[in-house]
Amino acid sequence: MIGNKVLVVGSWAKAQITIENLRIRNLNIRIFAYMSIKNPAIISLVNGYKIGDFNTVNDVVGYAKKQDIDLVIVTTAEPLSVGLVDALEKKKIKTFGPRKQAARLETNKAFTRKLMKKYEIDTIPRFRVFNNVDDAVQYAKDLNWNVAVKPVGLTEGLGVKVFGDQLKTKEDISRYIRQIFSERGDSKVLMEEKLTGEEFTIQFFVNGNYIIPTPAVQDFKKLLVGEKGPNTASMGSYSDSRYLLPFMTQKNYDDALDIVRKTLAAFHSETGEICQGFLYGQFMITKDGIKLIEYNFRPGDPEWMNTLSVLKNNILEVIHRLLNGEKMFLQFEDKATVCKYIVPRSYPKKLYEVLDVSFEEWMIKKEGVSLYYSCGIDDQGKLNIGSERGIAFIAKGKTIFDANEKVEQAISLVKGNFYHRGDIGTKELIESRIDHVKELRQ
């Protein structure tokens, strides 16, 4: 069995709920955190913590050795992209997360698309990778400008822009391609045919051929009600009781799981390595079946909160059995969940802003709502969102609508200058999703 000293690497809400889960039926566990910002909720839950730079791998490894850590759980992408797991393994420290090579499934979108094309996993849109502006613009023109433009590397959910959405004209497309090459310093850009459909997410515990799926979740990237406005890291999400969303079929879910299995097998064939960690798959129901949007190789935010809110298992036990190659079935409460973020009114145009709010946490909890912080305490002692968002409010209920009512009531108790999306989890929104998928199937 894994020992009782665990280090969680991550600063935000998904790290907070991971730590809460680790304490389920495990009174002897000692939990430490390595964060990039002082998250007050995480600090209140752990036995010790360190603030540092996720890119400084040796500092994370040194802290793990100093605390004599038995297991490191990585919940954020940045340290994975620079080889944290590889460095920890060299020091014989057990870790749950992908090595740098496997993390490329998230950190290098071009690598993932090319891998799937080579192994004939026919669930991706037409695409090309370009290293110059003129060829990328010409490809967009060849597709009649119906494209999604993606920086190749990590973008924290804010880099992808789509024609007809964030990009209104062909001039917008050309301008954004130039911006990627000039401002980001990227040497490549991924151009994809624009997909139309309904998106959903499934998260997995993976270790080689062992894959444990969790219930589907739908999140909402747009800032404004009615899926309008600029993209955000996500304004909220919901899940239904059991594994499916109201607009999904079992075949939709099974097809998504099949895509993941084929991708992991292809990765092993290509590299000789296995994948391990929390794998997040974002999919789309289209008129031509299920398509893959992207992978993230760490828990999703806010989707991880929906999942862990109803998970009965302690994930330490899940990880232990997974690493030992033992079969395991997860147990979930038969409840729906709704999660909504409150954010500064200047978000996402401005980051590193103060979230100027006040509330009585006991009153929030009295409404059956839990709080998860994707913000930290700055040098002036104020809540600052940093590169993230704000505070997530999440509730469980017999139905999505019941959970939504609890969240809205809790948010009404918050005083201050903030914004949230009120339509997530409403009957009108859910019915619009169901109608959309019906149109696609016709």
Side-chain angles (χ1 to χ4, degrees):
M1 182 67 181
I2 296 170
N4 71 337
K5 297 183 76 174
V6 178
L7 173 63
V8 175
V9 179
S11 305
W12 311 118
K14 57 189 175 182
Q16 179 189 341
I17 197 169
T18 298
I19 292 166
E20 284 187 2
N21 175 277
L22 288 169
R23 294 199 180 279
I24 295 175
R25 298 186 300 278
N26 195 343
L27 298 178
N28 295 322
I29 193 169
R30 290 177 58 79
I31 304 174
F32 299 82
Y34 188 99
M35 301 179 284
S36 61
I37 193 170
K38 291 182 179 178
N39 184 316
I42 291 177
I43 290 172
S44 71
L45 292 170
V46 296
N47 299 97
Y49 68 91
K50 183 172 184 179
I51 306 298
D53 184 348
F54 287 140
N55 285 309
T56 310
V57 167
N58 290 338
D59 195 41
V60 184
V61 174
Y63 185 64
K65 289 180 65 178
K66 180 180 179 181
Q67 299 299 337
D68 195 23
I69 295 297
D70 298 303
L71 174 71
V72 177
I73 297 175
V74 187
T75 66
T76 192
E78 193 175 356
L80 298 172
S81 69
V82 293
L84 175 60
V85 172
D86 308 66
L88 288 163
E89 288 182 346
K90 285 181 181 178
K91 298 297 182 181
K92 309 299 182 185
I93 300 171
K94 188 171 290 188
T95 308
F96 191 68
R99 295 171 183 159
K100 185 177 182 179
Q101 177 83 305
R104 293 174 71 198
L105 289 173
E106 172 177 6
T107 62
N108 190 329
K109 296 178 179 67
F111 167 79
T112 305
R113 290 298 195 240
K114 290 177 180 178
L115 177 75
M116 297 180 74
K117 183 178 181 179
K118 178 178 179 180
Y119 288 86
E120 299 181 343
I121 307 172
D122 188 24
T123 58
I124 55 175
R126 285 188 289 171
F127 75 94
R128 289 275 303 276
V129 180
F130 297 96
N131 58 13
N132 69 80
V133 171
D134 291 340
D135 288 347
V137 172
Q138 182 60 49
Y139 186 70
K141 185 177 180 180
D142 292 343
L143 291 177
N144 199 28
W145 305 102
N146 287 308
V147 294
V149 184
K150 303 182 177 184
V152 168
L154 289 172
T155 61
E156 301 296 333
L158 296 172
V160 178
K161 294 190 178 183
V162 181
F163 178 65
D165 193 344
Q166 301 90 356
L167 306 173
K168 303 297 184 184
T169 66
K170 61 184 180 182
E171 288 79 17
D172 288 344
I173 293 173
S174 299
R175 191 178 302 114
Y176 186 51
I177 292 170
R178 289 186 173 86
Q179 179 183 331
I180 290 173
F181 282 104
S182 61
E183 294 184 7
R184 286 178 53 87
D186 286 90
S187 59
K188 296 180 181 179
V189 63
L190 176 64
M191 303 292 296
E192 291 186 351
E193 180 182 18
K194 176 184 175 181
L195 292 176
T196 300
E198 198 62 49
E199 295 184 23
F200 65 92
T201 295
I202 303 175
Q203 297 171 105
F204 306 84
F205 294 82
V206 302
N207 182 35
N209 293 328
Y210 293 90
I211 303 172
I212 305 176
T214 66
V217 183
Q218 186 172 46
D219 84 313
F220 296 85
K221 291 285 196 295
K222 292 302 177 65
L223 178 68
L224 304 177
V225 168
E227 283 299 271
K228 297 178 180 179
N231 267 8
T232 70
S234 183
M235 293 301 294
S237 52
Y238 70 84
S239 64
D240 209 348
S241 57
R242 305 187 183 178
Y243 274 70
L244 304 181
L245 296 169
F247 56 82
M248 288 178 66
T249 65
Q250 185 63 48
K251 187 177 187 306
N252 294 151
Y253 188 94
D254 293 342
D255 287 349
L257 179 56
D258 187 55
I259 292 169
V260 171
R261 292 189 187 282
K262 289 178 178 177
T263 303
L264 298 184
F267 178 82
H268 179 63
S269 296
E270 184 72 10
T271 67
E273 294 191 12
I274 66 167
C275 291
Q276 179 193 103
F278 305 106
L279 183 64
Y280 164 116
Q282 186 177 8
F283 306 93
M284 180 182 286
I285 301 172
T286 75
K287 63 181 179 62
D288 298 316
I290 302 299
K291 301 293 184 182
L292 174 76
I293 304 299
E294 67 176 3
Y295 288 121
N296 293 324
F297 224 140
R298 36 75 185 177
D301 186 344
E303 297 95 332
W304 194 235
M305 278 90 83
N306 299 90
T307 298
L308 288 200
S309 291
V310 291
L311 178 64
K312 294 181 179 180
N313 306 83
N314 184 308
I315 62 172
L316 188 62
E317 179 190 3
V318 177
I319 292 170
H320 168 72
R321 295 181 65 173
L322 192 63
L323 294 180
N324 286 335
E326 301 175 23
K327 287 186 177 181
M328 184 173 188
F329 296 97
L330 301 181
Q331 293 182 308
F332 293 92
E333 295 180 60
D334 188 15
K335 291 184 177 180
T337 68
V338 170
C339 178
K340 300 186 186 188
Y341 265 99
I342 63 170
V343 300
R345 290 194 175 276
S346 56
Y347 175 82
K349 187 176 182 180
K350 293 183 179 180
L351 300 177
Y352 298 90
E353 293 286 290
V354 169
L355 180 60
D356 188 14
V357 295
S358 62
F359 51 83
E360 296 290 343
E361 192 160 343
W362 68 269
M363 293 178 67
I364 304 292
K365 291 181 178 179
K366 188 177 178 181
E367 298 295 331
V369 176
S370 298
L371 300 178
Y372 295 97
Y373 286 67
S374 282
C375 53
I377 303 297
D378 64 18
D379 293 339
Q380 285 72 46
K382 297 180 181 291
L383 280 178
N384 193 299
I385 65 167
S387 61
E388 261 292 325
R389 270 160 288 183
I391 302 175
F393 288 60
I394 187 164
K396 299 179 284 188
K398 290 182 179 180
T399 68
I400 295 169
F401 314 127
D402 292 336
N404 179 54
E405 288 181 6
K406 293 179 183 179
V407 171
E408 285 296 317
Q409 178 58 31
I411 292 176
S412 73
L413 300 174
V414 179
K415 298 177 182 179
N417 190 25
F418 67 92
Y419 170 78
H420 84 288
R421 266 190 66 171
D423 64 332
I424 298 171
T426 61
K427 183 178 180 180
E428 293 75 18
L429 182 140
I430 302 299
E431 288 180 347
S432 72
R433 295 301 186 262
I434 294 171
D435 290 342
H436 185 207
V437 173
K438 284 181 179 178
E439 291 175 7
L440 293 169
R441 288 173 180 150
Q442 290 173 356

